[in-house]
Amino acid sequence: MQPFLSCRVLLSLDRQEVRAMEPMKPMEPMKPMEPMKPMEPMKGMEPWWPKDLGEPATSGARNGMKYAFFPDKRRLLIDRDGQVSTYDSGDHRIGGVAQADGTAKTLTFTSQDGDVDLGALKKLG
């Protein structure tokens, strides 16, 4: 025979049976929390261009393409979906970039002489 758990049975005003449950047991004492470990600093993005070009004068991304301009080497690099193309920038000192429109994957660069279409530069590789 199993032991009977004690509880009180009461009748409510509308003669519904109401059972009173055992009181809750006290909680165990909480253990102190361990301090959080300090966050590690975020690492900067690794350069996607060859190291022998040095640091670009300007770089960025537009229309899903990345670009980097190296004036001392007269090189403009474009990364389209992991494919890097190298252009001879000639006498242009590229300082900015604009997109033709939101759907075309084309870039127009700004130099000391005005806008430079990527198609006007000599592609080296």
Side-chain angles (χ1 to χ4, degrees):
M1 186 174 186
Q2 292 191 358
F4 179 73
L5 294 175
S6 66
C7 69
R8 274 192 266 167
V9 177
L10 304 170
L11 292 176
S12 66
L13 293 175
D14 59 354
R15 298 232 181 254
Q16 295 279 334
E17 185 177 300
V18 177
R19 293 186 179 263
M21 303 297 285
E22 273 187 52
M24 289 180 66
K25 295 179 182 171
M27 289 179 60
E28 305 243 344
M30 291 182 68
K31 296 177 184 172
M33 289 179 61
E34 290 189 28
M36 289 179 61
K37 294 179 183 174
M39 289 181 64
E40 303 223 358
M42 290 178 63
K43 293 181 181 177
M45 194 169 94
E46 292 292 320
W48 52 270
W49 52 83
K51 291 182 182 186
D52 64 325
L53 290 175
E55 287 297 313
T58 185
S59 65
R62 285 276 172 95
N63 283 358
M65 295 184 280
K66 295 185 277 190
Y67 66 93
F69 173 60
F70 303 87
D72 295 341
K73 306 282 184 176
R74 297 169 60 156
R75 296 293 178 259
L76 173 66
L77 273 65
I78 306 291
D79 181 331
R80 286 188 180 116
D81 302 319
Q83 295 290 334
V84 178
S85 300
T86 304
Y87 295 87
D88 182 348
S89 62
D91 293 328
H92 296 289
R93 305 237 356 128
I94 294 172
V97 63
Q99 58 192 35
D101 61 48
T103 58
K105 281 201 166 193
T106 60
L107 298 175
T108 300
F109 293 90
T110 306
S111 79
Q112 77 280 11
D113 297 325
D115 289 346
V116 179
D117 186 358
L118 191 58
L121 299 178
K122 182 179 178 185
K123 187 173 180 179
L124 302 175

